[in-house]
Amino acid sequence: MMSASQRQVGEISIAYYTAEKVNPITTTATINRIICEALYEGLFCLNDQFEPEPVLCESYTMDGTHCTLVLKEGLKFSDGSDVTAEDVVYSYRLAKSAATSLYYDRASYMSSIRAVDSRTIEITLTAANSKFLNLLDIPILKQGTGDQNFAVGTGPFRAAETDTGYELLPNENWHEGKVQNIPQISLVGTVRADAVISSFAAGDISLTRAERISDDPATIKGAVDVYQTPTTEMHYLGIRMSHPLLSNPNFRKALSLAIDRTMICKSSLQTFADPAVLPINPQPDMVQDDRLSGALEQASSYLKQMGIQDSNGDGKVETSTGQPITLTLLCNEENTFKTNVCSQLVTAFGQLGITLNVNRVPFEQYQQALDSGNFDLYYGDLILSPDFDVRALLMSGGSLNYGRIADTTLDSRILAVRTASADTLAQAETAFYEYFLDQMPMIPLAFERNQVIVRSGLLTGFSVRPYNMFWAPNEWRLG
């Protein structure tokens, strides 16, 4: 493997964690997940709207708990062998059996997987899921190659051994045609899975991902081009439903309307987030701007319907019995982005005349308080699955339902979306969204954005998908 001084200017180089074999299903190192995006593909790929677009799949049918998938004709692996339904079955069963896999939860919906013929796969689900195709970006590898240093895949590049290690070369058998403008991608070996950012700063690598809104955000040095990608990671306020005021949907709606989510995303989350008032990304067209940027007058009207108002002109509202209102917000102190958002929420609720005290604690204490229900509100951060399954968070008895939401109508609306047919899905989604906005069982704030960073001027025509930075490499040009 070449050093930075040996590599030519204008060459793409990415990190390679040499202590782990590269298998798209079982790989756990974040470094090697980037390599996997170059070497492997799923039957579908999710676009920026988190809609599934076919990649290896030619056609499909969905009927309740049954899904039939047909592979495109003539697909080849990078070694020239045919892609068959048995390879898909092998890949899905591997994901279903590997508890540490990124795709384990996706595959857990499959109760049976079988090949009907060389191109047809039949899957039975554990329960109906109208957005099951969103989960089928599971990468496909050639059966029997999972234990090789690099499992064989169908992606635009293939791994090739050199005198000093490995590199990526264009896959001559790629179904979109051999990539012409990128002759090779260097793999820079490391034995430290956390060494990506330092390698980028040293000039060893030129293309990577870096999480921005994190407990330990990456500091990128030098001239770079940044490409943001949407995610399913939702920031939100959880609510203790047994609180005498928070149990009232009008009070919850007032709090939600007091929040300028657009400003939070621009300031505390540093433009690496999209405002949200519903637990879906992107927000549907029905969401009006005032729900995202705040509407204090409407918020105050909801409070007045409860008999809550500023009766003495001191800028603080009181209940109908004359009591001032103070709420406590639980927050993990280890993430400065979140604590900064909490400070903005103090100001936002203060404009309503409500005092908000923030209880900033280490994560262990934070989790203990969640489990015991020791909060009025809590600042939550949850990576949803690509089908935006909110059952654990919102349904009665859900494993992440720390606020003890118990609303049978909400439960039925959520399940109606999951069991809807293609013809009734839009109607079921609208009914769920409308009920959610009317009840506000929790208060979404934003969805994070990730970043892909490229050495400045290295590539033109570069575009990325939420889970794929090697999307459309035939359009890339070296700078």
Side-chain angles (χ1 to χ4, degrees):
M1 299 189 188
M2 294 178 290
S3 68
S5 61
Q6 291 175 307
R7 282 190 295 277
Q8 298 178 358
V9 175
E11 180 180 286
I12 302 174
S13 51
I14 59 179
Y16 166 38
Y17 181 49
T18 57
E20 180 185 67
K21 293 180 179 180
V22 177
N23 178 313
I25 304 297
T26 60
T27 287
T28 58
T30 303
I31 292 177
N32 288 350
R33 292 237 50 85
I34 295 173
I35 297 175
C36 290
E37 293 169 28
L39 302 181
Y40 311 99
E41 300 169 304
L43 268 63
F44 294 85
C45 180
L46 295 175
N47 62 23
D48 284 352
Q49 307 295 306
F50 290 97
E51 299 165 335
E53 295 181 356
V55 177
L56 302 180
C57 185
E58 178 180 271
S59 63
Y60 65 89
T61 58
M62 284 288 301
D63 181 16
T65 58
H66 297 280
C67 176
T68 301
L69 305 155
V70 180
L71 293 172
K72 291 179 179 178
E73 193 169 0
L75 291 173
K76 300 284 186 181
F77 283 110
S78 60
D79 65 357
S81 60
D82 293 337
V83 179
T84 70
E86 290 290 355
D87 296 302
V88 177
V89 172
Y90 166 77
S91 300
Y92 287 0
R93 286 177 176 170
L94 180 59
K96 187 176 172 65
S97 66
T100 59
S101 172
L102 177 66
Y103 303 100
Y104 176 76
D105 288 340
R106 289 164 167 78
S108 66
Y109 287 101
M110 307 177 192
S111 62
S112 69
I113 316 156
R114 73 182 188 97
V116 177
D117 56 40
S118 63
R119 291 175 53 210
T120 307
I121 306 98
E122 208 170 70
I123 300 173
T124 302
L125 309 183
T126 56
N129 183 353
S130 60
K131 294 191 176 183
F132 177 61
L133 298 183
N134 288 45
L135 305 178
L136 294 185
D137 61 345
I138 301 172
I140 305 305
L141 64 152
K142 182 177 178 178
Q143 186 173 6
T145 68
D147 290 330
Q148 297 180 8
N149 284 337
F150 289 82
V152 177
T154 66
F157 294 90
R158 62 179 177 85
E161 192 167 7
T162 69
D163 292 339
T164 56
Y166 289 92
E167 64 183 1
L168 303 186
L169 300 177
N171 174 9
E172 298 89 344
N173 296 297
W174 192 38
H175 55 94
E176 293 291 336
K178 179 181 176 182
V179 175
Q180 298 295 326
N181 300 306
I182 310 297
Q184 72 177 66
I185 296 175
S186 297
L187 298 184
V188 180
T190 178
V191 295
R192 287 182 51 202
D194 60 347
V196 174
I197 299 306
S198 59
S199 295
F200 194 97
D204 292 332
I205 64 174
S206 56
L207 172 66
T208 192
R209 273 198 184 88
E211 190 177 2
R212 188 70 186 97
I213 309 299
S214 70
D215 297 349
D216 184 22
T219 300
I220 309 301
K221 298 180 181 179
V224 298
D225 297 324
V226 177
Y227 299 83
Q228 293 190 13
T229 59
T231 75
T232 63
E233 187 163 355
M234 180 176 64
H235 292 226
Y236 66 96
L237 296 182
I239 299 167
R240 178 168 63 87
M241 287 298 181
S242 61
H243 188 282
L245 293 176
L246 290 167
S247 62
N248 189 311
N250 280 341
F251 192 78
R252 302 194 295 267
K253 287 188 286 187
L255 296 184
S256 178
L257 286 166
I259 301 170
D260 187 343
R261 295 164 170 84
T262 302
M263 183 55 65
I264 285 175
C265 291
K266 288 180 179 178
S267 53
S268 292
L269 299 180
Q270 299 184 2
T271 74
F272 279 87
D274 297 305
V277 72
L278 286 169
I280 185 77
N281 193 21
Q283 298 291 279
D285 292 338
M286 65 183 294
V287 173
Q288 299 174 347
D289 289 343
D290 60 356
R291 288 190 179 274
L292 300 176
S293 58
L296 284 176
E297 186 174 341
Q298 187 178 357
S300 296
S301 71
Y302 280 123
L303 295 183
K304 289 178 181 177
Q305 291 178 36
M306 299 173 61
I308 298 173
Q309 56 188 331
D310 181 2
S311 57
N312 57 14
D314 65 352
K316 302 291 186 181
V317 294
E318 298 87 27
T319 65
S320 57
T321 59
Q323 299 299 313
I325 299 174
T326 299
L327 300 174
T328 299
L329 171 61
L330 176 67
C331 178
N332 175 15
E333 68 179 6
E334 296 164 14
N335 187 304
T336 57
F337 296 95
K338 296 176 184 177
T339 57
N340 288 340
V341 172
C342 289
S343 296
Q344 286 190 260
L345 294 174
V346 170
T347 301
F349 292 176
Q351 291 179 311
L352 274 183
I354 295 172
T355 299
L356 181 66
N357 295 326
V358 181
N359 181 22
R360 299 175 176 86
V361 296
F363 181 76
E364 185 176 348
Q365 293 181 33
Y366 170 84
Q367 188 62 56
Q368 290 173 351
L370 285 183
D371 292 337
S372 62
N374 187 21
F375 58 85
D376 296 331
L377 303 166
Y378 71 89
Y379 192 119
D381 175 7
L382 177 64
I383 300 177
L384 294 167
S385 54
D387 60 345
F388 292 92
D389 183 2
V390 294
R391 290 176 298 172
L393 184 64
L394 296 178
M395 285 187 62
S396 305
S399 60
L400 301 176
N401 184 357
Y402 299 111
R404 307 297 188 266
I405 304 165
D407 184 333
T408 56
T409 301
L410 179 64
D411 293 349
S412 64
R413 297 289 171 92
I414 292 171
L415 293 177
V417 171
R418 293 191 64 80
T419 59
S421 66
D423 294 334
T424 62
L425 178 58
Q427 181 181 357
E429 287 179 326
T430 298
F432 166 57
Y433 298 152
E434 288 177 344
Y435 188 77
F436 184 97
L437 292 173
D438 184 61
Q439 297 295 311
M440 294 308 295
M442 43 83 77
I443 301 177
L445 299 173
F447 279 91
E448 279 191 28
R449 283 181 165 263
N450 277 340
Q451 61 177 342
V452 173
I453 54 174
V454 185
R455 189 70 61 199
S456 183
L458 177 64
L459 287 172
T460 60
F462 183 71
S463 61
V464 293
R465 291 285 178 94
Y467 303 109
N468 188 358
M469 70 166 65
F470 287 86
W471 179 255
N474 269 323
E475 298 178 9
W476 297 6
R477 300 292 185 274
L478 288 171

